[in-house]
Amino acid sequence: MATSTATKETFLAPEAPQTGKIYNFMEAHAEKNGSQPSPQFFLSGVDAGDQVEIPHEIYEVLVKTVEAMRKGLAITITPSSMTLTTQQAAELLGVTRPTLVRLLDAGKIPFEKPGTHRRIKLEDVLAFKEVRKAEQYEALDSLGALDDENPEAAMTRMKKARAVAAERRRQHKE
């Protein structure tokens, strides 16, 4: 069996019928059970009994990959270390590096400093991201912004409103 090196790769979407069949299979399982199934899916070889169960984490990657490819999107897989630099963590959170450093110094995200550089665990960054997202949804909900609207749509609407306001401020300064 050939092994692959851990490098960033982009995969183009195959023809729609291939991803459509896979998507329909996963969708049928979700409808039958009322939610995504607790997967017990297998990767199999040609010979009988030549199979291995696909772990839940890999199944989730496959679901997201198939959904994107079904829409005709390319997929990029980027291996990532479990420990991030401040720049990598900032990019993951969508903030500047100085903003991330302020969050670290304020104790909002744990970090280690083995030498002169801070190192942040990926799991700590992801946990902070989830907490921040929940806080944003609570704030939107308290403003009544989530009435009968999905949270993602409300967030998109709020981002657009902030961008319009920022553009008006820029034009006003000129």
Side-chain angles (χ1 to χ4, degrees), residues 59-111:
Y59 173 79
E60 289 298 319
V61 170
L62 290 173
V63 168
K64 290 177 182 174
T65 300
V66 170
E67 285 175 354
M69 286 182 156
R70 183 171 176 258
K71 295 175 184 173
L73 301 172
I75 302 298
T76 300
I77 297 175
T78 306
S80 183
S81 167
M82 297 301 278
T83 305
L84 306 174
T85 64
T86 52
Q87 185 61 46
Q88 290 170 324
E91 289 172 4
L92 183 61
L93 292 173
V95 299
T96 64
R97 198 187 69 73
T99 299
L100 176 79
V101 169
R102 282 193 294 276
L103 291 169
L104 295 175
D105 291 342
K108 304 265 184 189
I109 305 171
F111 68 94

Side-chain angles (χ1 to χ4, degrees), residues 8-171:
K8 180 177 180 177
E9 295 185 48
T10 299
F11 301 91
L12 301 177
E15 295 178 23
Q18 291 174 323
T19 56
K21 287 179 186 177
I22 295 170
Y23 183 82
N24 291 341
F25 175 80
M26 290 187 290
E27 192 174 66
H29 279 273
E31 286 178 21
K32 180 179 175 185
N33 298 318
S35 65
Q36 288 291 339
S38 298
Q40 275 197 310
F41 296 105
F42 298 87
L43 180 61
S44 63
V46 180
D47 299 329
D50 185 13
Q51 66 182 22
V52 63
E53 185 174 351
I54 299 174
H56 179 71
E57 295 82 4
I58 294 175
Y59 173 79
E60 289 298 319
V61 170
L62 290 173
V63 168
K64 290 177 182 174
T65 300
V66 170
E67 285 175 354
M69 286 182 156
R70 183 171 176 258
K71 295 175 184 173
L73 301 172
I75 302 298
T76 300
I77 297 175
T78 306
S80 183
S81 167
M82 297 301 278
T83 305
L84 306 174
T85 64
T86 52
Q87 185 61 46
Q88 290 170 324
E91 289 172 4
L92 183 61
L93 292 173
V95 299
T96 64
R97 198 187 69 73
T99 299
L100 176 79
V101 169
R102 282 193 294 276
L103 291 169
L104 295 175
D105 291 342
K108 304 265 184 189
I109 305 171
F111 68 94
E112 295 175 356
K113 197 170 182 180
T116 57
H117 300 287
R118 295 172 180 91
R119 295 290 180 242
I120 307 110
K121 290 181 182 176
L122 176 61
E123 65 189 63
D124 292 333
V125 174
L126 295 176
F128 175 80
K129 189 174 183 176
E130 285 304 311
V131 167
R132 186 173 72 166
K133 190 177 192 178
E135 289 171 350
Q136 290 172 339
Y137 287 161
E138 285 177 28
L140 286 171
D141 194 29
S142 71
L143 295 171
L146 297 181
D147 298 340
D148 299 332
E149 187 174 10
N150 104 21
E152 293 296 331
M155 288 295 279
T156 301
R157 203 166 37 93
M158 297 297 274
K159 285 179 184 177
K160 286 180 184 177
R162 283 196 311 253
V164 168
E167 182 61 31
R168 285 183 185 156
R169 281 192 305 273
R170 272 186 246 123
Q171 289 176 353

Side-chain angles (χ1 to χ4, degrees), residues 1-6 9:
M1 172 193 258
T3 55
S4 170
T5 58
E9 295 185 48

